[in-house]
Amino acid sequence: MIKLILILVTLGICCRSEPIASFFDGLDSRNECKARLDRRLTGFSGLLYSHSKYGQEPYNTSRNCVLMLVAPIGYNIRVRAIEFDVASTENARNCERDTLHVFDHETTLDPESYAPARIDDITSPGPIIGQFCGHFENRILNMSSHNALTLWWHSNPNGSNSKGFKLHWGAFRVSRTGNCVTGEFSCGNGECIPIESACDRFADCSNGEDLIHSRQMAANCQNIELDPLTTVSGVFVLLFSATIILSLCGFIMFVCCLCKCLKSSIPIKGAASHTTTTTTTNGEYKPEPPQFYPPSPPKMPPPSAASGYTTRLHHHFEGPMVPSETSGFHSARHQNHYSVNSDINGDYTYVRNDVHRNLL
């Protein structure tokens, strides 16, 4: 789910229509530094950098670059500094060194016409309305009284380690009735901007109303930047949170089961392989001591009259001699032998003697 959101955000950033970027001091012919009013940029909005290697190297020295911005007839131009870092002296108000000058035009210009060949033509810039140096961010520099502004970027021969500047310029108009026409975005303060300018990530309204996602979506902007924290619904946030929690619980259960399996498979030193383990109240596994049982005596079937048991005679030991009526003495062993053969209940006597012998 997280990967899907990141992919959608990336696609929104990449596929969104962005203003065209230009340079005061570029490397190609389109962005070449011009010292006269023979270079202009036309359209609804755009980005303007001090030099082509902005953000990588400091801006170039000894430059006098003039550029004219022209919007469609009926619109004015507003210039905003997104990042501005130009070397200045202690008295930054005068901007005695490197300076960006802004000139207004007193007449309306046709954006389709080419720049005039003479500098003293009617398209010559009017009064200077601002000069800027120092360091600041996200600041409106100036607005035109008609549909054109002229910018003059001047840098001294002395070297500087300053970064340069990044500007955003855009067209707007003030509605007399307070309503915007089809194809325009209402800023809510009486200003109207082209709808395509409201669907990027730069503020064209003076109050920044065109950067609110709900307003952009209401204006049917396409490929706007997705912000999961502000654009998704509460149901989506709930489902997403539940998925994360369930995933974490499943992972914890898997780890616990894995630990139990590993603990039960580890042999305990000094214990037999057949020992068992028991679980204590703390959840720990404690091996039981091995149990030993004495061997039981073999079970012998009682002999029958037809069995082949016979008395065993041991010639090396005859036992004590006892008196007899005829021969005087004979051994107790022989006496027992005769008693077994002569006694009708000899089975009991044989079993008793045999058990006694086994026990010995």
Side-chain angles (χ1 to χ4, degrees):
M1 186 66 69
I2 297 177
K3 292 183 178 180
L4 179 61
I5 294 176
L6 292 177
I7 292 173
L8 291 175
V9 171
T10 305
L11 291 175
I13 294 175
C14 296
C15 301
R16 163 176 82 238
S17 59
E18 291 292 332
I20 299 176
S22 303
F23 306 93
F24 269 103
D25 186 13
L27 300 177
D28 55 354
S29 57
R30 176 180 171 272
N31 295 295
E32 185 179 358
C33 178
K34 300 289 186 179
R36 299 182 56 184
L37 282 175
D38 53 359
R39 182 185 173 198
R40 63 171 62 183
L41 298 177
T42 60
F44 288 119
S45 63
L47 295 175
L48 189 58
Y49 295 87
S50 57
H51 57 298
S52 58
K53 293 186 178 181
Y54 175 81
Q56 303 176 2
E57 298 178 1
Y59 56 81
N60 300 322
T61 59
S62 301
R63 287 292 186 267
N64 282 294
C65 305
V66 181
L67 179 64
M68 183 187 299
L69 304 175
V70 183
I73 297 176
Y75 286 92
N76 303 84
I77 294 179
R78 179 168 34 238
V79 178
R80 183 191 299 268
I82 301 175
E83 295 177 352
F84 200 92
D85 183 20
V86 174
S88 62
T89 58
E90 295 181 359
N91 189 6
R93 293 184 178 180
N94 295 332
C95 294
E96 298 175 354
R97 298 180 57 187
D98 304 340
T99 309
L100 176 66
H101 306 270
V102 181
F103 297 87
D104 195 10
H105 285 258
E106 297 178 345
T107 58
T108 301
L109 301 182
D110 184 4
E112 301 297 332
S113 64
Y114 292 98
R118 302 192 314 273
I119 195 171
D120 56 349
D121 194 42
I122 192 173
T123 57
S124 298
I128 183 171
I129 56 176
Q131 53 184 8
F132 304 93
C133 59
H135 176 77
F136 50 87
E137 295 180 355
N138 195 22
R139 173 180 167 185
I140 295 177
L141 300 184
N142 273 116
M143 298 179 294
S144 67
S145 57
H146 295 278
N147 68 329
L149 277 178
T150 295
L151 307 178
W152 173 31
W153 164 236
H154 167 73
S155 62
N156 287 333
N158 299 329
S160 174
N161 294 324
S162 298
K163 185 178 180 180
F165 53 82
K166 176 183 178 181
L167 309 178
H168 174 261
W169 64 275
F172 74 98
R173 72 178 185 89
V174 178
S175 175
R176 296 179 180 178
T177 60
N179 298 323
C180 301
V181 299
T182 305
E184 290 184 335
F185 179 89
S186 175
C187 297
N189 56 357
E191 294 181 353
C192 301
I193 61 175
I195 192 66
E196 53 264 32
S197 299
C199 296
D200 56 20
R201 58 190 179 98
F202 300 99
D204 290 85
C205 296
S206 59
N207 55 3
E209 191 77 9
D210 55 321
L211 295 182
I212 301 176
H213 288 86
S214 58
R215 293 293 313 277
Q216 290 179 330
M217 296 177 68
N220 296 324
C221 290
Q222 302 295 326
N223 302 322
I224 61 174
E225 182 177 356
L226 296 177
D227 187 358
L229 299 179
T230 57
T231 58
V232 296
S233 62
V235 177
F236 179 81
V237 173
L238 211 60
L239 293 176
F240 181 75
S241 303
T243 304
I244 295 296
I245 294 174
L246 291 177
S247 302
L248 289 176
C249 292
F251 178 74
I252 293 173
M253 293 177 63
F254 172 76
V255 172
C256 292
C257 294
L258 186 62
C259 292
K260 288 182 180 180
C261 294
L262 292 177
K263 259 188 175 179
S264 61
S265 62
I266 296 176
I268 302 174
K269 186 176 181 181
S273 60
H274 63 273
T275 56
T276 58
T277 58
T278 57
T279 306
T280 62
T281 57
N282 297 331
E284 300 179 354
Y285 289 87
K286 184 177 180 180
E288 292 183 354
Q291 299 179 359
F292 299 97
Y293 299 95
S296 59
K299 296 181 180 180
M300 300 182 64
S304 61
S307 63
Y309 290 101
T310 58
T311 57
R312 302 177 184 178
L313 299 178
H314 300 276
H315 299 285
H316 62 276
F317 178 74
E318 296 295 336
M321 300 300 289
V322 296
S324 148
E325 294 179 358
T326 58
S327 58
F329 292 91
H330 61 84
S331 63
R333 178 69 179 171
H334 290 171
Q335 184 179 1
N336 293 334
H337 171 69
Y338 296 140
S339 65
V340 169
N341 291 332
S342 60
D343 192 359
I344 299 175
N345 297 326
D347 291 341
Y348 173 77
T349 306
Y350 176 81
V351 172
R352 183 184 60 187
N353 293 338
D354 201 7
V355 170
H356 179 69
R357 183 170 56 253
N358 289 335
L359 292 176
L360 292 178

